[in-house]
Each structure stands twice: as C-alpha cells, then as structure tokens.
Amino acid sequence: MEKGEAMTSFKHALMGLLILVVTPAALAEDAIVRIDASTDIQEALQEALILAEPGTTIELPEGTFSFSAALSLDVPDITVRGAGMDKTILTFKNQIAGSEGLLITSDRVSIENLAVEDTPGDGIKAKGVDTVSFRNVRVEWTRGPNAENGAYGLYPVESKNVLIEGSVVKGASDAGIYVGQSQDIIVRNNRAELNVAGIEIENSYRADVYGNTATRNTGGILVFDLPNLPQMGGHSVRVYQNKVVGNDTANFAPPGNIVATVPRGSGIMIMANREVEVFENEIGENASANILLVAYPREYNDPTYNPLPRRIYVHDNKHGRAGWDPDGAVKDLIAPRTGMPVPQIVWDGVVDGFWAGLFGPDDEESVMINEPEGTTFANLQFVKDHILPWGADPDRDIEDYAGSYEFRGPVELPQDKPVAVAENN
Amino acid sequence: MRVLLLVLLTLVFLMGVTSAPAVAAPPSTAAVNDAALLTPRPARKLSAYNLFKDGAAQVPNDGVYPYDLATPLFTDYAHKYRFVYVPEGKAAAYDDRESFVFPVGSVLVKTFAYPADFREPEENIRLIETRLLIRGDKGWAAWAYVWNADMTDADLKVAGKVLPVSWVDEAGDQRDIQYVVPNRNQCKGCHVMGDEFSPIGPKARNLNFTYDYEGGAENQLAFWANHGLLDGAPAPAGAPSVPRYDDPAAPLEARARAYLDINCAHCHRAEGPGSTSGLFLTWWEQNKTAWGYLKRPVAAGRGSGGFMFDIDPGKPDQSILIHRLKSTDPGVMMPEVGRTTVHTEGVELLREWIKTIE
C-alpha cells in the first residue's frame, strides 16, 4: 500500500467515524431493501414495510403499480424512495380496503420521489408521527376535480416536525396539502393545483408556508382553526413568498366539511387562529378576494374555542386583480356591502364584545396591515353594524390598520439541518 | 476466602439446577406451549402453540377457556370462537373500564369462521383465520394464522391476505365476499391505546353475563375469578355490564351505545387512532358533541355524504354516522378495516336510536 493510499483510507476511516459520531443513524442508513418490479409488488412492499429494520431505505423501481389495499408503515427510521414522482407511480384506482393509500404511524419517516394516484380516500396520511418528511412526492386524482375524489393528498395529523417540500398535489376534494392538529411545520416549494383547498394548515402551531405555488384551486392557502378537537388554538403561522394566483375552480367539496364553504377565487384565507403573518406573497387573479380574514362562521358548542382571527399581520404582498366575480359567502354577504369589485383584502370585522365592536379590538388582538400603495381593503365591521341601530358601513381606510407585530423566527426541524460533515470533503 | 468460594460454587450449582429444566425439558405435546408463547418471533404454524386439542373442531386445550362478548365487533358476519389462556399461577388484573391487565405469557385467541349455511350454524364450518394476541414482556403482539383447506393447521400471514368467502345467510340468500385477513399494521390500527398495543374485547362490561360452559352455565366474570384467570373482580352484580345489541328487551340507547362502544370506540376516543376527529364513542362518554350530537365533521371528506352532522337528532338518514356505516366504499366507510359488507342489523339499530334522539 502506497503512503498516499494509506493516508486516503485513513482519512476515509476517520470520515466514517466522524459520520457515525455526528449522525447516529448513518450506519443503519446503509440498509437498503429494493423492491423488485417483477414480484407481486403489493405483498412485497407491504411485507417490507412491516419487516424492515429501523434505518432501512426501501427503494421502489420505476413503473406503475396497482394496489387493492392500503399500505401502512409502523417501523421508525424508514425512508421509502421511488425513482421520481413521474416514474414510480402507485395507483389505487382499484383499492377495495383502507381509507388511505399509505398510512404512517411511526417516527422519523421520509417518503420521497414517488407518486400516489387515485386513492378512494386520502393519499398519504401520517398520524401521531414525530418527524415526517414528504419530498418530491406527487399525489393526484387523475380525473381532475370531482366530488368523488379523496379528501386529502398529503395529510399529516397530530404530528410534529413535519416537512413537505417539492411536492405536487392535484384534485383533492378537500385539501391537497393538509396539516392538522400538528406542531412545527414547514411546507415549502410545493405546487397545489385543482384542489378545493390548495394548502391548509388547521388547528396547528408554528408553521412556515413559503415558496409554494397554489393555483387553480377553489382557495389557495387556508389557515383555519376549528372547535371540538383535541388540539385547538391554532397559532404562529407564517405564509410568505408564495404565488397564490388564479384560484378559479368551482368548489367541489362534499357539503358538511368546512372547506365546502370556501368561495371559488379565494387567495389566502385566515379563519380563527392567533399570530398569523402573511407577507411577500404574489396574490392575484382570485375572483372573490386575495386575502380573507374571517371568524368561524358556524354555530358551535365548545367554551374553550376562540372563533376569531387575532394578531394578524399582513404586509408587503404584491396584489393582482381580485374580487371581480365573487362566489359563495363573498358574493352573498360581502359584495352587497362593499360593492364591486370586492376589495383585495377583506376582514369581516367580527370581534369579541360590544366595546371592540364599536371601537375595534385591543391593539394586541387586532389586525395590522402594511401593503403597497393602492391595495384595496375593507373591514366589514359586522359587529358594529349589528350594534348600531343605523348600521355601519365597511371601513375602507387601510391606513387605519398600519402597524406591525413582532413574530418568531423561522421554524426549525431536526430533519432539515444542513449536514456539517459534507464540508470536510 | 474459602467461604466465598463455597458460596460461589453453590450459586453456580443452583443456577445450573434451576435453569436446567427450562433448557432441557422439551415442550410437552399435551400442554399449551408456554415457551413458544414467550418467544418474540411468532411460530410459523398455529399448531406450535398447542392451544387446541382439536383445531378443526375448535376444541381448546386444558387451561384455554372459551368466552363470548355481550355485544361483539362486527366482522363481515364471521362467526367467532374466542378463547383466553393465562399461564398457570398467574392472573389478569381486573379493571372497571379498560381491558383487563393480562400477565406475560397470556394469549387471547379468536377464530373467524363461516358455516356454509347460517341456518345450520353447527354444520360445514369453514375456519378462515385464527388471530392471536400474545402478551410478551414488551407488550402485546398480534399475529394472524390462515387455515389451510383441510383445516389441519393454520399458517402465519404477516402481510395479510384476501380470501373469497361464501355462505348462505339466515334468509337463504347466497353471500359472496372478499374476506380481508389484516396485516400486522392493520391489527394495530384498532388495537392501540396511546402508543401501546391493547386488546379490545375482554372488558368487564362486555363479559358480565352468563356463558354456557361445558360444566354448566356461569357468569363469565365469576368463572374467570373462580378459575384463577382474574384477580380483583367484584361480584358480577357490582361490575358494569352492557346489553346485547340485539336484545329487544334492553333499552334502545344502551344497545346503541354498546354497539358503538365495541365497534368504534377503540379508535374513536382521546387515546385512539380516531382521536383527530374529536368524535368519541366510548360507553361512558357524556359530552353530547363528543359522541356526535350535532357534531360537525372535521376531516371526513366525501365521508360526510353532504350531511352537516355526525348525528342529526331524529334524522338518521341525514346523519354522517349512518352514511358511513352503510357504505362499503373505502373512502367513506366506517370502520375503516374489518368489514367489506354492511352490518344491516347494526345500522338498523342505530337508525332507530337516532330517530328517538331529540
């Protein structure tokens, strides 16, 4: 062995050691299970998902594979990786059992480079998972918008440390990307198209939603909080640098679900929630409104629930056309008060109590807006209108709402740390 | 020094003696194979556990006792044979509300079977699968064994299986289904409380009635206590009970809630997989919104059927709960697993109950 070689292999050994020390999972990451395209892939993949040792990467070949039953994963530290979102396609058109395509219930799981198509129920659901990543995954209902499509495309719920990036979701009859009752979330650089809701963050804490394109949905990006659920009080959500344009698909959600109330042509909609920052988005060609700030509109029986949006900060968005052809509640309740076109930003002005109704909510619990010159706005002042015998007109003076809130820094996730070792190369 | 050596020698000798039987004694072919039950890896064949004297006839081995539930979980009309085994000298701990706490080495056995003609339920019975819930030292494990055609033995199936099954029902109609043997993850889909695998059936309220044992009729809780299977049980009169869901003499609401409890509440409770819905269907749930009264759906998608409430009082056919129980579409139906057909009688019971709710 030459001296240089010895040196190199020593360096390699050292590197290996370093990797081991830095990332404890490195050793196990070597385990790769390749699913053979020629086998009965349904049984082979499900068996691999059950029998895999923690740390395994399960690799799927190129091709379109049909499944009649739901897949499920309950082993921690697993990566499932295809050959690309247009190359490895799992179709559930003939599914007879299971209410989603893939269900994940174990921690530290990553799904990458594959597509799930035409599930009768949800696409990929992660329930109660700590650290789950979807990277370059496509979930699609190939016939386009249809009330018979499944509800959610990518569906982490009651989970924490959620990363969804580079993915594509199309045709969901509820939300393409739906993060519910979860904590510490990044949704970035995805494309949501032809869903009822493109991206929805519901009853969740600390979410950063950025770099996404939401187009041709009924509503682009929704931040909601609902009553009667184990996790309520959604808060600390930042929606920024997204492109939310041309959301023009008629609402095709089955009635009963909250998204069935979303008007066609809603850009970004904030319902209930506390501390939501909406900034530097490009929002336009949304026929109802670009930004809607509203209270939960239905009756409920839950004394612990707060139905109002509070501490909302909207700033530096770039607005295109909006409100020329409103739909749903925007058409029936808002347009008659604002006239046409409906302003780019609308706050329903539903506030808590008589005093706030007359004079606006406390500064700490209010809505702050700093948008470019010329942005149109209306506060409908629903409560004031209700209190005063002579009613109240919408307040269109956007200057009255100038101000700001200090919000937290970026969400950080354990699976989203830069790899320090690479620099030693 | 010498004393210490002696002590050490004695210890070694004792260890040798005490461990010898465990290593040397082959599992008796007559008794239940405790060693196999304690092995983390499941046996490939059901027969390895010696749970039956006659598997095909479902005659249990000594120490393996049959039991039944007042209101059972519906599984595509399958007939079920249930057995419990608790190792000699140990007992399960009684609980008023949850499943009993079973000692390590216990096993719950459930065989799914179809008589060829339900009008003659004791004739031509085809055994489909036997599921074992085995209590190991790290918790419960679930395994499904699928019976061979001759019913001489059953093979372990980890990834599940779909089997065509046919029978003639009570009305004389031919029924054909694709019976789904669950995979291990699907078992956990229901059998989970928080992070822990958990049995569903053996709860006091569902066992508290008289069973027709070989040696004569006896209340099951009393029988379990008398046979050393169960510690700490009160007299049956002091334990909770639910009615049979199909007992016309029992109050309608109690029957409906018993049905929802056994069929739904293992998921639909704060500690279960269905917690995200906020619909909680345990026997003791008192919050009206939580058990569905005028409760709006959350993530039902097209499961809502276009209806506004899980239970719309007085209007069963506008209640999401009924809509989902009536469906066999995987994107709509509830429960999500365990059935491919509609339980007409169960749906009818719940419809009648919802009609009476104001």
Side-chain angles (χ1 to χ4, degrees), chain A residues 55-252:
Chain A
T56 302
T57 295
I58 297 172
E59 288 192 349
L60 292 167
E62 274 189 42
T64 299
F65 309 104
S66 180
F67 294 83
S68 64
L71 297 162
S72 54
L73 172 60
D74 193 41
V75 182
D77 298 292
I78 298 290
T79 297
V80 180
R81 184 180 293 144
M85 69 162 78
D86 295 314
K87 291 182 174 155
T88 299
I89 297 165
L90 283 52
T91 173
F92 291 81
K93 205 168 268 178
N94 301 316
Q95 184 177 3
I96 57 162
S99 50
E100 56 277 307
L102 169 63
L103 174 66
I104 302 161
T105 49
S106 48
D107 296 340
R108 296 174 302 280
V109 167
S110 184
I111 309 294
E112 304 170 4
N113 306 337
L114 55 81
V116 165
E117 290 183 352
D118 297 322
T119 51
D122 303 314
I124 307 179
K125 178 176 180 179
K127 158 89 188 350
V129 177
D130 182 350
T131 312
V132 60
S133 310
F134 300 101
R135 298 180 170 102
N136 308 313
V137 173
R138 178 170 58 88
V139 178
E140 181 170 0
W141 284 269
T142 55
R143 63 183 160 193
N146 189 307
E148 293 293 303
N149 292 351
Y152 301 125
L154 294 171
Y155 177 17
V157 64
E158 280 186 5
S159 293
K160 57 184 177 185
N161 298 315
V162 174
L163 173 64
I164 302 177
E165 65 178 342
S167 294
V168 173
V169 283
K170 287 183 180 178
S173 71
D174 197 303
I177 293 173
Y178 172 95
V179 183
Q181 301 181 62
S182 294
Q183 305 183 19
D184 298 294
I185 300 142
I186 294 177
V187 177
R188 69 181 171 213
N189 306 332
N190 303 287
R191 185 176 178 86
E193 199 175 344
L194 297 167
N195 310 284
V196 174
I199 297 169
E200 183 174 0
I201 308 294
E202 193 168 272
N203 292 57
S204 289
Y205 309 158
R206 295 178 301 281
D208 281 352
V209 180
Y210 62 94
N212 303 284
T213 297
T215 186
R216 307 210 63 194
N217 307 285
T218 303
I221 299 177
L222 316 182
V223 182
F224 282 11
D225 198 59
L226 303 181
N228 297 111
L229 288 176
Q231 177 170 307
M232 292 190 296
H235 66 83
S236 201
V237 180
R238 305 192 310 162
V239 179
Y240 61 98
Q241 293 166 4
N242 301 285
K243 198 169 167 183
V244 187
V245 294
N247 289 289
D248 58 3
T249 296
N251 195 318
F252 61 99

Side-chain angles (χ1 to χ4, degrees), chain B residues 151-337:
Chain B
M151 300 197 295
T152 51
D153 206 343
D155 294 309
L156 177 70
K157 288 284 171 210
V158 173
K161 201 172 174 62
V162 176
L163 295 166
V165 170
S166 302
W167 73 95
V168 174
D169 68 15
E170 279 91 350
D173 293 328
Q174 172 78 20
R175 304 288 293 262
D176 303 290
I177 62 163
Q178 294 293 317
Y179 181 95
V180 180
V181 178
N183 70 45
R184 207 174 76 182
N185 291 346
Q186 288 169 324
C187 296
K188 198 181 168 191
C190 293
H191 284 276
V192 69
M193 277 260 288
D195 288 332
E196 293 276 304
F197 217 103
S198 169
I200 295 170
K203 297 177 180 131
R205 60 182 174 279
N206 244 319
L207 292 169
N208 192 0
F209 69 98
T210 301
Y211 183 85
D212 205 3
Y213 290 98
E214 199 112 292
E218 190 174 356
N219 179 285
Q220 294 188 108
L221 293 180
F223 181 94
W224 286 35
N226 293 338
H227 286 73
L229 302 176
L230 185 62
D231 261 351
S241 65
V242 297
R244 291 169 52 107
Y245 84 98
D246 56 355
D247 176 4
L252 187 60
E253 185 182 6
R255 290 162 58 199
R257 289 295 297 268
Y259 185 86
L260 295 171
D261 181 51
I262 192 71
N263 280 285
C264 319
H266 41 272
C267 283
H268 279 282
R269 58 181 293 175
E271 305 84 357
S275 59
T276 52
S277 66
L279 179 69
F280 300 150
L281 295 170
T282 54
W283 173 247
W284 57 83
E285 184 60 62
Q286 297 292 323
N287 180 324
K288 288 177 93 172
T289 310
W291 59 249
Y293 181 89
L294 290 178
K295 184 191 174 301
R296 296 179 190 279
V298 176
R302 64 197 182 87
S304 78
F307 303 123
M308 293 296 148
F309 304 108
D310 289 354
I311 291 178
D312 197 341
K315 298 174 186 158
D317 296 321
Q318 294 174 38
S319 296
I320 295 168
L321 189 135
I322 296 294
H323 172 69
R324 303 194 80 166
L325 284 168
K326 274 196 322 200
S327 174
T328 54
D329 176 339
V332 173
M333 64 189 277
M334 285 285 158
E336 294 179 350
V337 290

